[in-house]
Amino acid sequence: MLLIKNIGAIYGARHESLSPLRGIEMSDDARVDDAFLVIDGERISHWGQMAELPSESDFQRVIDARGGLVIPAFCDSHTHIVYAGSREGEFCDKIDGLSYEEIASRGGGILNSADRLHDTSEDELFRQAIARVRQVMAKGTGTLEIKSGYGLTVEDEIKMLRVIRRIAQAEPSLEVRSTFLGAHAVGRAYTGRQKEYVDMLVAEMLPAVAAEGLADFVDVFCDRGFFTVEETARILEAAAKYGMRPKIHANELAISGGVQVGVAHNAVSVDHLERMGAEEIETLVNSSTIPTMLPGASFFLGMPYGPARDSVAAGLPVALASDYNPGSSPSGCMRFVWALGCIKMRLSPIQALNAVTVNGSAAMDCLDRTGSITPGKFASLIITNPVPSLSYIPYAYTEPWISRVILKGRDLTF
């Protein structure tokens, strides 16, 4: 067993946490001061205050936190971390004033990544992706959703999903969830024939993905210029026959109806939400779907930030995720997402921390194992350097503050 002693405070220390935090609950710090924590194998055993510390001789290993804080490892519920190459040329286009949609209309964007991925072997794709995965693990991410969607053919979507499975096998201390996103865009071979592409996705892609058991979820980019509400509903209904629950891209570019169709099909989450009004908030209030906002994309693209504060005020369980991808959010740094949640979205530091941990876990249907420091859950947590307070971390948003990352009981070193 592993003992962590001299912890200044544990945040997210819950005896039970099997539901997301809603509204005012997101301000709950679930805090234990002057604490110790015990890890038994991969799991959290218990914690207490230092005055109650048992004999250190009972433990095989002891870590002295030196007054640092302990928080849950980050739960990043929306990423496209498997991709080939990079798209810094489009970065320069953005600097010159081109919009996301203008870049896509010139052959850039998602189709650019699809072309590169098609020409990249599975082994090389895995090599590139696992390097990114290990970087985000070192920055404190312990639960990670990864989407396909840069394949857009049966063979290339399967290639991506196999790489995601290999990532999970190569890094068993990381909790990985896989999402099939064949409806990310219409593949080049089907330009001008969107209905035929959707027909192919339903008749060929979905059965091929299901046959290998490669996806936990299905996703559709339901937005202006991409897939319609009707097409989205058709794909979700077909995927449900294979046990794939939805996670929807919605309302990034316009109020698209994506929130409503996601809720109608019991989506685990609806993601992006940069354009969201009172009707969408009301729809979500009456559902179990997690509204997930992606401030890294807003930052990189210069788009509006999702209405996180209004959503919390309405009682919603807001999650924040990185949207790590090569075109619109080329970073998986969840500490930056945490800071953006405070600086740009006006969440309190503890609300934003809950958004990138417990509510992010809920957006991956992982609350029985990650997202909070709860006995029986995986021992996936971050030990900080001594800091003045929790609020100091998103305030001093570039300062190195991680002392150790422990994932499923493993003290992480690469």
Side-chain angles (χ1 to χ4, degrees), residues 154 180 182-183 190 194-210 218 220 227 230-242 244:
V154 175
F180 166 58
Y190 288 83
Q194 184 155 317
K195 181 182 181 301
E196 290 180 39
Y197 181 78
V198 174
D199 291 343
M200 183 274 294
L201 188 153
V202 169
E204 299 179 35
M205 278 191 185
L206 272 170
V209 170
V218 63
V220 180
F227 294 90
E230 294 74 21
E231 290 166 338
T232 300
R234 182 184 173 200
I235 293 165
L236 300 187
E237 288 161 9
K241 298 174 184 176
Y242 301 105
M244 296 181 211

Side-chain angles (χ1 to χ4, degrees), residues 22 263 280-289 316:
R22 292 179 169 271
V263 168
E280 286 72 31
I281 289 176
E282 182 64 24
T283 298
L284 287 163
V285 165
N286 296 310
S287 78
S288 60
T289 299
L316 291 176

Side-chain angles (χ1 to χ4, degrees), residues 133-387:
V133 166
R134 288 171 176 160
Q135 287 174 359
V136 301
M137 290 170 69
K139 293 179 179 181
T141 294
T143 309
L144 186 69
E145 184 260 12
I146 309 175
K147 302 179 189 294
S148 67
Y150 293 132
L152 308 183
T153 67
V154 175
E155 296 78 11
D156 288 342
E157 287 292 307
I158 292 293
K159 176 166 66 175
M160 288 191 75
L161 290 163
R162 285 175 177 163
V163 167
I164 297 169
R165 181 170 61 188
R166 287 175 65 178
I167 288 167
Q169 293 167 343
E171 290 297 343
S173 59
L174 178 70
E175 191 73 3
V176 175
R177 288 292 176 270
S178 175
T179 299
F180 166 58
L181 180 57
H184 201 191
V186 175
R188 285 200 193 279
Y190 288 83
T191 300
R193 296 182 293 138
Q194 184 155 317
K195 181 182 181 301
E196 290 180 39
Y197 181 78
V198 174
D199 291 343
M200 183 274 294
L201 188 153
V202 169
E204 299 179 35
M205 278 191 185
L206 272 170
V209 170
E212 293 194 41
L214 290 171
D216 301 300
F217 304 110
V218 63
D219 197 345
V220 180
F221 194 170
C222 182
D223 216 326
R224 183 179 65 203
F226 289 86
F227 294 90
T228 67
V229 167
E230 294 74 21
E231 290 166 338
T232 300
R234 182 184 173 200
I235 293 165
L236 300 187
E237 288 161 9
K241 298 174 184 176
Y242 301 105
M244 296 181 211
R245 290 184 64 192
K247 285 171 65 67
I248 303 296
H249 280 61
N251 295 38
E252 177 184 5
L253 306 173
I255 293 180
S256 65
V259 169
Q260 288 85 347
V261 72
V263 168
H265 289 82
N266 193 32
V268 178
S269 70
V270 287
D271 301 14
H272 271 293
L273 310 181
E274 288 88 352
R275 328 276 177 170
M276 187 165 75
E279 182 179 341
E280 286 72 31
I281 289 176
E282 182 64 24
T283 298
L284 287 163
V285 165
N286 296 310
S287 78
S288 60
T289 299
I290 307 294
T292 301
M293 300 177 189
L294 311 176
S298 297
F299 170 81
F300 193 76
L301 295 177
M303 295 193 308
Y305 288 82
R309 193 176 175 96
D310 289 346
S311 298
V312 170
L316 291 176
V318 172
L320 301 178
S322 75
D323 194 21
Y324 192 177
N325 75 81
S328 59
S329 186
S331 169
C333 180
M334 288 294 282
R335 61 165 294 176
F336 184 52
V337 172
W338 181 6
L340 287 174
C342 299
I343 298 165
K344 293 295 187 179
M345 306 173 93
R346 297 177 58 231
L347 296 177
S348 72
I350 191 61
Q351 287 174 336
L353 175 61
N354 285 326
V356 297
T357 57
V358 61
N359 285 1
S361 181
M364 293 177 273
D365 199 20
C366 285
L367 270 179
D368 60 335
R369 65 205 75 180
T370 67
S372 63
I373 300 176
T374 300
K377 287 192 180 186
F378 287 129
S380 294
L381 48 88
I382 300 168
I383 305 174
T384 80
N385 295 322
V387 293

Side-chain angles (χ1 to χ4, degrees), residues 85-134:
S86 56
R87 280 160 46 190
E88 65 273 16
E90 294 177 15
F91 173 63
C92 294
D93 290 337
K94 292 182 182 75
I95 292 171
D96 289 338
L98 271 67
S99 71
Y100 180 90
E101 292 163 289
E102 288 170 331
I103 290 168
S105 71
R106 290 170 36 161
I110 294 165
L111 294 182
N112 186 353
S113 284
D115 293 341
R116 291 172 182 236
L117 187 132
H118 178 74
D119 294 332
T120 304
S121 70
E122 181 180 317
D123 286 345
E124 174 59 19
L125 190 61
F126 172 76
R127 186 193 68 78
Q128 292 183 28
I130 197 68
R132 298 182 198 109
V133 166
R134 288 171 176 160

